[in-house]
Amino acid sequence: MITLAILLNQLITLYIWVIVLGVVLSWLIGFRIANPQHRLVYLTGSFLAALTEPVYERIRRVVPPIGMLDISPLILILLLQLARFGMWEFVAMVTR
């Protein structure tokens, strides 16, 4: 049980980093620091979007963007942290 929890914890951490990298890349593109037509930037952005956009779309159905600000990455990170906390509480309860 603990091994599975550790694995899920690592997957959640990895996915949070994917979200953060996607947000940072979108800012770099938005502020014209990174060129989206550059092959590496394009491939990285496409890869990160493929991993995150399906989840963002579900969140956006419930909480639409506020003006020009899309808070779906923040909501997703908070939900993942909540799931992580709940998972460890469950593991602690089961292993007592």
Side-chain angles (χ1 to χ4, degrees), residues 19-38 40-42 44-45 48:
I19 294 167
V20 170
L21 289 174
V23 168
V24 169
L25 182 63
S26 74
W27 288 348
L28 292 175
I29 291 171
F31 289 122
R32 296 188 175 134
I33 296 171
N35 182 2
Q37 294 182 358
H38 187 273
L40 180 62
V41 175
Y42 175 77
T44 304
L48 294 174

Side-chain angles (χ1 to χ4, degrees), residues 1-92:
M1 176 64 95
I2 293 177
T3 306
L4 180 62
I6 291 170
L7 176 64
L8 286 174
N9 185 50
Q10 293 300 319
L11 290 174
I12 290 172
T13 301
L14 179 64
Y15 196 64
I16 288 173
W17 277 109
V18 167
I19 294 167
V20 170
L21 289 174
V23 168
V24 169
L25 182 63
S26 74
W27 288 348
L28 292 175
I29 291 171
F31 289 122
R32 296 188 175 134
I33 296 171
N35 182 2
Q37 294 182 358
H38 187 273
R39 184 152 178 82
L40 180 62
V41 175
Y42 175 77
L43 289 174
T44 304
S46 297
F47 176 71
L48 294 174
L51 292 176
T52 57
E53 280 301 319
V55 183
Y56 290 165
E57 288 175 8
R58 291 182 180 179
I59 294 172
R60 287 183 195 123
R61 287 183 202 150
V62 178
V63 182
I66 301 169
M68 295 290 294
L69 184 63
D70 182 15
I71 59 170
S72 56
L74 176 64
I75 292 171
L76 182 56
I77 289 173
L78 291 174
L79 289 173
L80 288 170
Q81 292 287 24
L82 182 65
R84 176 187 288 170
F85 177 74
M87 176 189 65
W88 285 117
E89 287 296 316
F90 177 75
V91 168

